[in-house]
Amino acid sequence: MSRVQLALNVDDLESAVDFYTKLFGTEPAKLRPGYANFAVAEPPLKLVLLENPGHGGTLNHLGVEVASSDEVEAHQARLVGEGLLADDEKDTTCCYARQDKFWVTGPDAERWEHYVVLGDSDTFGTASPAPGQPGDVCCAAALTSSAAK
């Protein structure tokens, strides 16, 4: 299993969930305060919605979800071998899930993560219960980059 992830900022999570449920014909795989994700079978897509009022309709970050930590490490080694700097985040909590991941930055400052979900979490990130709350460190670099655009 491997699929592209698209993480979008939305102004109103409830209306966005309603729209994307209709668009892709599937219910969210995970729905939490300020956060939803869809595991879309066709086309293979992980759609993440992050409630971020005032930034709705903008890109938060991009990603590639893979099936194992070994795959994360293989992608990281390949990209480092290509000369890309990878920000490593092993066994971290982000988007209500425990993950192994790393980040690379594209030529226009777009953030890409390669990650595997290791398990579920009751918290959004390591320091806060929901996206956009003070102290939240989950996807912090991606949020900063997208807000600046």
Side-chain angles (χ1 to χ4, degrees):
M1 175 213 60
S2 183
R3 61 182 161 204
V4 171
Q5 174 189 291
L6 174 61
L8 298 175
N9 294 311
V10 299
D11 287 323
D12 180 279
L13 186 65
E14 186 176 330
S15 64
V17 166
D18 182 57
F19 173 80
Y20 288 108
T21 297
K22 292 173 184 172
L23 181 67
F24 291 113
T26 188
E27 295 290 325
K30 188 179 284 189
L31 185 58
R32 302 284 192 276
Y35 175 87
N37 78 43
F38 291 80
V40 180
E42 191 57 41
L45 172 67
K46 178 74 163 267
L47 176 66
V48 175
L49 305 176
L50 297 156
E51 195 165 44
N52 193 358
H55 297 284
T58 63
L59 179 66
N60 185 282
H61 66 278
L62 301 158
V64 177
E65 181 181 22
V66 298
S68 72
S69 293
D70 289 343
E71 287 182 69
V72 171
E73 290 176 19
H75 284 289
Q76 186 173 7
R78 180 182 65 78
L79 292 173
V80 167
E82 292 287 338
L84 299 178
L85 177 63
D87 299 324
D88 194 39
E89 290 186 32
K90 298 292 191 268
D91 196 21
T92 190
T93 300
C94 187
C95 297
Y96 294 101
R98 216 177 91 251
Q99 304 173 357
D100 279 344
K101 70 165 101 187
F102 71 92
W103 294 87
V104 294
T105 303
D108 292 312
E110 67 277 12
R111 296 285 287 168
W112 280 87
E113 67 176 328
H114 279 72
Y115 70 99
V116 62
V117 173
L118 304 171
D120 207 23
S121 173
D122 292 333
T123 59
F124 179 71
T126 56
S128 99
Q133 297 298 310
D136 172 34
V137 296
C138 177
C139 303
L143 289 167
T144 303
S145 295
S146 66
K149 289 197 165 228

